[in-house]
Amino acid sequence: MVGKTTWLIPDGFLPPKSTGEHVSHEAVCVLNVGDADAELRLTFYFEDREPMDRFRASCGARRTHHIRLDRLRDEDGHPVPLGVPYAIRVESSAPVIVQHSRLDTTQEALALFTTMAYPVD
Amino acid sequence: MVGKTTWLIPDGFLPPKSTGEHVSHEAVCVLNVGDADAELRLTFYFEDREPMDRFRASCGARRTHHIRLDRLRDEDGHPVPLGVPYAIRVESSAPVIVQHSRLDTTQEALALFTTMAYPVD
Amino acid sequence: MVGKTTWLIPDGFLPPKSTGEHVSHEAVCVLNVGDADAELRLTFYFEDREPMDRFRASCGARRTHHIRLDRLRDEDGHPVPLGVPYAIRVESSAPVIVQHSRLDTTQEALALFTTMAYPVD
Amino acid sequence: MVGKTTWLIPDGFLPPKSTGEHVSHEAVCVLNVGDADAELRLTFYFEDREPMDRFRASCGARRTHHIRLDRLRDEDGHPVPLGVPYAIRVESSAPVIVQHSRLDTTQEALALFTTMAYPVD
């Protein structure tokens, strides 16, 4: 069984502004090299309010899923809020690998960052 | 108990210059998924002087805190110095996850980098 | 024996557009500090199709190889597809260290990101 | 004893071109939180030639050292070559933490990337 079932990402932020043809966004990139589909649950933590924990996604067996956080909606239809600091927990029904990236086009040109998420279990 | 209580970051630097609407800065991003509030102590190491170790911050239970290093002040009111290389130690009263990011707008456009901090204990 | 023989990278993407003198690209950077040459096999995972697993490369003893993914061809002559999300598994006949980087010149200027790959075994 | 004595970095490259006021460069950022000074030895691996292993540096007790690779010279006065892929091994006489960063101003604006080095021992 390759990977872990819980991953944490402290630095999340969706830039509210974009320039050029690319929309500023973040992606939680999941890789599932196993033979079982993975059901994913995402929880978002904030600086000054309770977590939002009703976001779901999936990643099939032998597939990757680059989950666009600017397009994600929770079970009540709420998006991830723009322009506020957050952190992310990803829980999976099967072991996966999780990487987190941001593309920021707030000012001309674009900026990228990425890191492997922190594996817990 | 998820996370660690000591984290290290060798590459710290606050760019003294900014362009556009974003101020160049760094953030120490802390995630506390536990049930106890975390009291944080930050120590800054330099190339040619003794460490500064009187910076404090906090991160509540089930909260994140993206600590802006350009706004941080120590117990004597001193800021983190601009334009000099430093490194950071973060110590926490409760297990947390720590990620470190820089936004640099020294030259037009903006640049980003990030990495998980190095967990010690 | 320094390193691991399997490494995973969830966030892969070859930007289909470039500006300026640099072509947007990714590199899988391999370091082999051992005394045996390493034969490498790369597998690419996608969101909506079966993996492509017929890519081969190598990294000599006491050498590095920065494998340009935009130039890589599999045994049937197929390139890594542009403009679609993928993930990467690197398997090696000898222990190596693997880091993954992207250079994106889609919009003016250039953006970079990097992370160590996730070591499995 | 906090840290490790050997660290590896597969993706090294010194861009031969710069624009604006910042010179394109890389830095090996070392943090020594211990009580003993650390003597460092850097080895550079290449794609098509034998490693260069006669680079030395140091990092004092309770200090950081952000070693600029574009300014480093080995014991024979040789610099790290520009414009060719390399990888880096850092060996230390005392446990340290190592992070690697690049600043690239080849095209207008600037790009940054960073990652913790891979700890071996």
Side-chain angles (χ1 to χ4, degrees), chain C residues 21 63-64 66 99 101 109, chain D residues 10-11 17 46-47 50 108:
Chain C
E21 67 193 66
R63 293 290 186 275
T64 188
H66 293 195
Q99 182 176 351
S101 302
Chain D
D11 187 1
K17 186 178 156 188
F46 300 95
E47 293 195 320
E50 286 298 307
E108 298 140 49

Side-chain angles (χ1 to χ4, degrees), chain B residues 12-84:
Chain B
F13 184 81
L14 281 176
K17 187 178 155 189
S18 302
T19 62
E21 66 194 64
H22 280 294
V23 176
S24 293
H25 67 270
E26 291 190 331
V28 166
C29 300
V30 180
L31 171 56
N32 179 2
V33 298
D35 292 326
D37 293 346
E39 296 305 314
L40 308 167
R41 180 180 167 190
L42 287 82
T43 301
F44 292 81
Y45 292 85
F46 300 96
E47 292 195 321
D48 55 3
R49 58 187 114 164
E50 286 298 308
M52 296 175 72
D53 62 0
R54 295 169 59 81
F55 292 88
R56 295 185 182 279
S58 62
C59 183
R62 296 176 300 284
R63 294 289 184 276
T64 188
H65 187 180
H66 293 195
I67 305 167
R68 284 278 297 252
L69 299 188
D70 54 325
R71 297 174 183 161
L72 197 64
R73 295 293 179 272
D74 74 6
E75 295 177 349
D76 301 314
H78 299 126
V80 181
L82 299 182
V84 298

Side-chain angles (χ1 to χ4, degrees), chain A residues 4 7 27 29-30 33 44 56 64 90 104 112 117:
Chain A
K4 303 283 181 177
W7 296 79
C29 301
V30 180
V33 298
F44 292 80
R56 295 187 182 277
T64 187
V90 180
D104 188 331
L112 286 175

Side-chain angles (χ1 to χ4, degrees), chain A residues 10-11 17 46-47 50 108, chain B residues 21 63-64 66 99 101 109:
Chain A
D11 187 3
K17 187 179 155 188
F46 299 96
E47 293 194 321
E50 286 298 307
E108 298 140 49
Chain B
E21 66 194 64
R63 294 289 184 276
T64 188
H66 293 195
Q99 182 176 351
S101 302

Side-chain angles (χ1 to χ4, degrees), chain B residues 90-105:
Chain B
V90 181
E91 294 167 293
S92 175
S93 62
V96 294
I97 321 301
V98 175
Q99 182 176 351
H100 175 250
S101 302
R102 184 185 302 159
L103 186 153
D104 188 331
T105 62

Side-chain angles (χ1 to χ4, degrees), chain D:
Chain D
M1 301 292 274
V2 170
K4 301 283 182 178
T5 57
T6 300
W7 296 79
L8 298 170
I9 304 155
D11 187 1
F13 184 80
L14 281 175
K17 186 178 156 188
S18 302
T19 62
E21 67 193 64
H22 280 293
V23 176
S24 294
H25 67 270
E26 291 191 331
V28 166
C29 300
V30 180
L31 171 57
N32 179 3
V33 298
D35 291 327
D37 293 347
E39 296 305 315
L40 307 167
R41 179 179 167 190
L42 287 81
T43 301
F44 292 80
Y45 293 85
F46 300 95
E47 293 195 320
D48 55 4
R49 56 186 116 165
E50 286 298 307
M52 296 175 72
D53 63 359
R54 295 169 60 80
F55 291 88
R56 296 186 180 279
S58 62
C59 184
R62 296 175 301 284
R63 293 290 184 275
T64 188
H65 186 179
H66 293 194
I67 305 167
R68 285 279 296 254
L69 299 188
D70 54 326
R71 297 174 183 163
L72 196 64
R73 295 293 179 272
D74 76 4
E75 296 177 349
D76 302 313
H78 299 127
V80 181
L82 300 180
V84 298
Y86 57 80
I88 312 164
R89 179 170 61 187
V90 180
E91 294 168 292
S92 175
S93 62
V96 294
I97 321 300
V98 175
Q99 182 176 350
H100 175 251
S101 303
R102 184 185 302 158
L103 186 153
D104 188 332
T105 63
T106 305
Q107 297 190 193
E108 298 140 49
L110 61 82
L112 286 174
F113 82 22
T114 196
T115 184
M116 288 292 161
Y118 182 81
V120 176
D121 178 45

